[in-house]
Amino acid sequence: MTILSGALRATAGKQFVAGKDLSHDTTSIHEYVGVCPQFDVVWADLTVSEHLAFQARQRGIEPGRLSAEVQQAALAVGLDGDGYYTKAGELSGGMRRRLSIAMSIVGNPPIVFMDEPTTGLDPDNRQHVWKIIQSLKKPNRLILMTTHSMEEAEALCTRIGIMAKGEMRCIGSAQHLKSKYGKGYTLTINLLPTGDEVQQQEKLGEFIIDNLSGGQGVLLSSINRTKKFLVPKNASTSISNIFKLMEQNKASLEIREWGLSLSTLEDVFVSTVSEEERDE
């Protein structure tokens, strides 16, 4: 990301952004690219409006358009009210993060790089920043984001690439990655508190292995009477039969409720990284 944004010059290869060859020109690229770094780069004595005006001038925005562009960027992240004239040193962590996002979009660049945009934020501020990033999506704008949070990637990204040790391992939509690289389906079952838990689990495990997973089912976790099983995708029983058999045997297996879900993106990430380690 530092190379594509022009901060560092590549030592080999060719890099093109917005049609610009970065091996020859790393200055004009700032007209097309906005960057939101992982850690906020702000000056405590400058206000929100002064930060945005400074960034707008760096991007080459004409003086006649500067005020409008600054106000538009502040409005996009919710800093157009009292926060507009507040010094950065008086902002909360969440507001500083929103300021960094506003600095990356001032002037409406077609390409925005975001490096872990919600690092260090509490859940409430993280959700707020997610909503802001969602609102910034446009057909004529590319937002390239790095993150270690699979939840964040699934919530914000239309295409997800997973890298391991500097190499791209897979890329696609969240649904595509889970379908292609996930190990299978997770069957979550809550048992009724009507009998011996050990006997209930044994009976349930035998049923799943013999009837639902072609002998390949695996118990993932057991917390009180909540059981999670992995049903591999190559199981001989179809998903429709799983639903049918579970409903038919719900009473005899003493099941209160159950659910079936695809592998998570975290499962896909762990799987791809494990393959990388095995290849070595």
Side-chain angles (χ1 to χ4, degrees), residues 20 54 56 98 100 105 112 135 155 163 180 192 224 251 268-269:
K20 301 288 185 178
F54 174 75
R98 284 151 56 190
S100 292
I105 64 169
V112 178
S135 70
M163 297 188 69
K180 185 171 183 178
L192 290 167
N224 296 325
V268 174
F269 180 83

Side-chain angles (χ1 to χ4, degrees), residues 2 31 60 63 79 100 108 116 119 136 148 162 189 196 221 267:
T2 53
E31 299 177 18
L79 290 176
S100 292
N108 196 29
E116 301 192 37
T119 296
L136 297 177
H148 286 98
I162 294 179
I189 298 172
D196 182 81
S221 66
D267 296 330

Side-chain angles (χ1 to χ4, degrees), residues 29 33 58 65 92 113 117 126 144 214 233 248 250 266:
I29 192 65
V33 173
Q58 278 195 317
R65 294 173 43 224
S92 65
F113 294 139
R126 182 170 64 246
L144 179 63
K233 289 190 295 184
Q248 288 179 345
K250 187 175 180 179
E266 288 190 7

